Amino acid sequence: GKSTQIDLLTKHFTKRRKSVIKTEEPGGTAGSNEIRKILLRENNFQWSVETETLLFMAARSDHVEKVIKPAIKDNKIVICDRFMDSTLVYQGMRSPKAKQLSLTLFELIAINPDITFLIDMEPEIALNRALSRSTEEDRFENYGISFQRQLRQNFLDVANKHSDRIKIIDGKRSPQQVAAQIIDCVETLVK
Ligand code: TMP
């Protein structure tokens, strides 16, 4: 559940008449959505992981410039499905050069979330869920279970390294229980 949780959090703030926008990566702008398509749908380009990183970062740059920074300037709460940590894990764990590249480019983007949630669950369950959705976007899900296990470990490592910003949430519980914990953390932060 990322999408479920993002919807529940957005609803929570909308009900309280807080200005909130919901967005996602890669995506959020017309240009970034085009980059998303070539990254996740068309499997025939065989990008190197470094080139893939440049594309994710280009999508992020456009998204931050056109959507996230203006929304923050307008005092809106921005809820984003994935951000820089996904690049550090998905691309960074496959190549130290890609990791360095993303960090260097991220300095130009110059914005960090106030809080990030990592919804943790067994990789087997997560993979089955992702595969059962049967979208055309199956690029990383096709890498199989050992890749998923590696992803989980790397996300946990990033979360432990930035424990002041990233909260690890136990995703085994009901969506309502997970949402209550997330809402509580964000409310504390907003206050
Ligand atoms: P999602 O919209 O279902 O989360 O899918 C996005 C996919 O893109 C997912 O497989 C993770 C991947 N991804 C990266 O590899 N690097 C990134 O920087 C981002 C934002 C996503």
Side-chain angles (χ1 to χ4, degrees):
K2 289 187 285 125
S3 311
T4 307
Q5 292 306 323
I6 286 171
D7 285 346
L8 291 170
L9 187 60
T10 307
K11 275 190 196 131
H12 171 84
F13 283 118
T14 310
K15 258 197 219 155
R16 278 155 190 75
R17 298 181 194 285
K18 287 248 167 59
S19 230
V20 57
I21 68 155
K22 189 171 80 168
T23 188
E24 67 165 358
E25 290 211 340
T29 66
S32 303
N33 275 321
E34 287 304 305
I35 299 177
R36 179 182 181 106
K37 282 186 206 158
I38 61 170
L39 273 165
L40 301 177
R41 289 197 191 157
E42 294 165 25
N43 274 321
N44 50 347
F45 296 124
Q46 303 195 322
W47 314 109
S48 70
V49 63
E50 290 78 21
T51 306
E52 192 179 283
T53 302
L54 291 171
L55 288 166
F56 275 110
M57 295 308 289
R60 179 161 303 127
S61 176
D62 195 52
H63 183 212
V64 169
E65 206 174 279
K66 296 198 178 116
V67 175
I68 298 184
K69 283 192 177 167
I72 289 172
K73 215 169 154 210
D74 280 351
N75 275 319
K76 291 184 178 147
I77 296 171
V78 179
I79 303 176
C80 189
D81 186 339
R82 298 192 183 275
F83 200 60
M84 180 62 188
D85 300 313
S86 286
T87 311
L88 287 177
V89 171
Y90 278 85
Q91 282 66 52
M93 78 179 194
R94 283 150 59 216
S95 150
K97 206 163 121 192
K99 183 175 177 182
Q100 195 44 56
L101 195 56
S102 69
L103 286 169
T104 303
L105 292 171
F106 195 55
E107 280 176 30
L108 299 174
I109 291 174
I111 195 161
N112 244 315
D114 294 303
I115 192 162
T116 300
F117 296 99
L118 173 61
I119 305 175
D120 181 44
M121 59 164 64
E122 293 299 323
E124 286 78 4
I125 303 174
L127 182 59
N128 281 339
R129 272 198 197 181
L131 292 175
S132 69
R133 258 181 251 131
S134 80
T135 67
E136 291 165 341
E137 295 183 346
D138 51 8
R139 176 124 168 50
F140 295 103
E141 282 68 29
N142 281 346
Y143 283 24
I145 192 64
S146 64
F147 182 72
Q148 295 296 322
R149 286 201 192 102
Q150 236 183 306
L151 276 179
R152 182 201 202 180
Q153 194 50 57
N154 277 272
F155 267 116
L156 289 171
D157 291 347
V158 171
N160 288 323
K161 192 167 165 203
H162 301 281
S163 55
D164 48 333
R165 171 176 61 83
I166 307 180
K167 303 262 174 274
I168 302 171
I169 304 287
D170 176 4
K172 277 198 305 291
R173 297 165 303 158
S174 73
Q176 288 70 25
Q177 283 172 318
V178 171
Q181 188 184 0
I182 291 178
I183 288 167
D184 194 48
C185 289
V186 181
E187 279 293 356
T188 307
L189 187 78
V190 171
K191 267 180 214 147

